[in-house]
Amino acid sequence: MTATLADVGIALGRVAFVMLFVLNLGGLMTWVERKQSAIMQDRIGANRASIFGFRIMGLLHPLADAIKMLTKEEFYPARADRVLFSLAPFVSVFFALVAFASIPFGDTLRVAGREVPLQALTFNVGILYVFAMLSLGVYGVMMAGWSSANNYALLGGQRAAALMITAEVAIGASIVGVVMVYGSLNMMDIVRAQGPLLGGWLPKWGIVTQPLAFVLFLTAGIAATKRIPFDMPEGESEIIGYFVEYSGMKFGLFVMADFLETVVISGMTVSLFLGGWQIPYLEPAGFVFPWGATVALPGLAVSLLQVGAFVLKVVVMIWFLMLIRWTLPRFRYDQAMRLGWLGLFPLSIANIVLTGAALLLWGAR
Amino acid sequence: MPLAVFLVVAAVAVASALGLVLKRNPIHGALFLIVNLGSIAVMYLTLHAQFLAWAQVIIYAGAIMILFVFAIMVLIPGKEETGPDPLRPVRLIAIPFGALLLVELVLMLVSRRAAPVAAVPAPGGVEAIGRLLFTDYLFPFELTSVLLLAAMIGVLALAKSRKAG
């Protein structure tokens, strides 16, 4: 294997795009969270941070937050396990950050005789990779809960563990239906397989072929982000939860991890159920509409449109998840467990059986 | 390059295994075991066995170990396991067994030097593993599923009987 400078550059570029995309979205989400909740509650929302009088709709608040959190005192509880206490927020953020790596953000790009897959890591079993990284993130929360030497934090850590196992089983079981329909564990192949049209006009997106799995996956995915309605590990109004002893940027990292997980769940939902980078009727040579009209486009424009479509879809999904979060009703711990084990899990298994039967009957692939 | 990766990963694996054995704090031990399982997964990756690698992470690190840590957190919150070891004689039995394993390892290294391992087939492996599971290894595979089902029913029976009594 000979790696030229261009190859290394391309690889770095792919990684940098995903990294900056996820990090920036995560940072922007603190702003979206404030502004969207403000709009939903008929308030104005954060708008005071300014540089030389420029406020740009409160967009400077994430910056102000970062400065404030970095300059705050680092507090360690007296009987805390210092190593684990310091390590926990980084574990949380790390796995949330790397999970996005095998989600494709565009079709394979062909430039100057090279094939550049538009995803950071081209795993043959990419869907399992994302799933694995999501499931490892919970260790950060559990370590935080345990090392704080605080009963409320411990309670939060235990709830997080229970919630994560519940959500993970449902996520795993609901993905199986999608994998069966599109016949691959490779995220790129799954997105590509969502391109063909059903009956000549309906895109073969996951939400069309697997509507039940979509609902189950989204519900379990929201549970995996640990945000309202599934915020028992945190429980602002009852136990405060696993990060009760944290201050400064370490606390900020936990909040960031939740945001990043929301981005990852959005990316997963878009890739598995909403066609990923696919735009309906857009083919490699341009638009081909079912009523016969065609619009020819150069290859690079098609690629740019696809990347744009992916970003737009992810942002819309994030908006939707925010909408759910700020309608505020939340599950009690036992209710969430019941929903997970008696609702989501059996339905996911039923979905697998149904999908298998349908594939056997129609043989559609 | 692969050799350097292997050496680093092997060092992490051995160090975390030692940590698991030597640490008295059960949570630390469990976390070391997770690091160990993760480094084994990286070794699978270097052998192009992507499916095995991520299945290892999901099943062992992501599911089984979460249950372990959960149980430890519920049962012994924050208490270090200090004081005299009540099972000291049992530990002594481990010495001859460990020596046996070491001898086996040395014998294997000596005999393997002559016959190199066959090259790994194409990367990926989901298809290959699936085909093997449902052809050559169908019988043990189905046996395992029966075993798991039995374990599940056993757990249900135990949980039910405790509620009744």
Side-chain angles (χ1 to χ4, degrees), chain A residues 149-220:
Chain A
N150 177 320
N151 284 343
Y152 293 105
L154 185 66
L155 212 53
Q158 288 174 1
R159 285 185 181 188
L163 180 67
M164 195 61 215
I165 293 169
T166 313
E168 204 181 298
V169 167
I171 289 180
S174 61
I175 284 176
V176 174
V178 179
V179 173
M180 284 165 80
V181 169
Y182 298 114
S184 177
L185 286 167
N186 185 333
M187 297 284 276
M188 194 60 117
D189 289 349
I190 290 176
V191 175
R192 202 167 283 147
Q194 296 182 47
L197 302 174
L198 284 176
W201 60 277
L202 188 64
K204 200 181 157 191
W205 287 4
I207 194 171
V208 178
T209 54
Q210 290 280 307
L212 181 59
F214 173 71
V215 175
L216 296 171
F217 177 83
L218 199 59
T219 314

Side-chain angles (χ1 to χ4, degrees), chain A residues 31-50:
Chain A
W31 175 75
V32 175
E33 170 127 304
R34 287 195 176 117
K35 279 298 188 186
Q36 194 171 338
S37 65
I39 293 167
M40 286 174 75
Q41 297 164 355
D42 201 14
R43 296 182 285 115
I44 295 172
N47 67 346
R48 308 310 293 180
S50 67

Side-chain angles (χ1 to χ4, degrees), chain B residues 3-20:
Chain B
L3 185 69
V5 173
F6 172 78
L7 286 179
V8 172
V9 175
V12 172
V14 172
S16 54
L18 281 178
L20 163 66

Side-chain angles (χ1 to χ4, degrees), chain B residues 31-107:
Chain B
L31 291 175
F32 271 119
L33 181 53
I34 294 159
V35 174
N36 184 265
L37 293 169
S39 53
I40 302 288
V42 176
M43 282 197 190
Y44 286 147
L45 269 189
T46 58
L47 293 174
H48 300 289
Q50 296 183 352
F51 176 75
L52 267 190
W54 299 124
Q56 156 108 354
V57 172
I58 292 172
I59 294 168
Y60 284 102
I64 295 179
M65 285 314 292
I66 286 185
L67 275 178
F68 266 63
V69 177
F70 181 75
I72 296 172
M73 277 182 11
V74 173
L75 297 177
I76 345 173
K79 219 187 298 167
E80 292 238 3
E81 293 232 302
T82 48
D85 186 357
L87 292 176
R88 192 150 197 99
V90 180
R91 282 194 182 194
L92 293 179
I93 303 175
I95 295 173
F97 279 109
L100 199 67
L101 274 179
L102 202 68
V103 170
E104 220 172 300
L105 191 69
V106 171
L107 282 180

Side-chain angles (χ1 to χ4, degrees), chain A residues 2 19 49 123 145 184 206 212 231 257 261 292 312 325 338 341-342 356:
Chain A
T2 52
M19 184 92 178
F123 279 128
S184 177
L212 181 59
D231 71 329
E261 273 167 9
L312 184 72
R325 188 249 177 268
R338 188 163 298 135
W341 290 107
L342 301 181

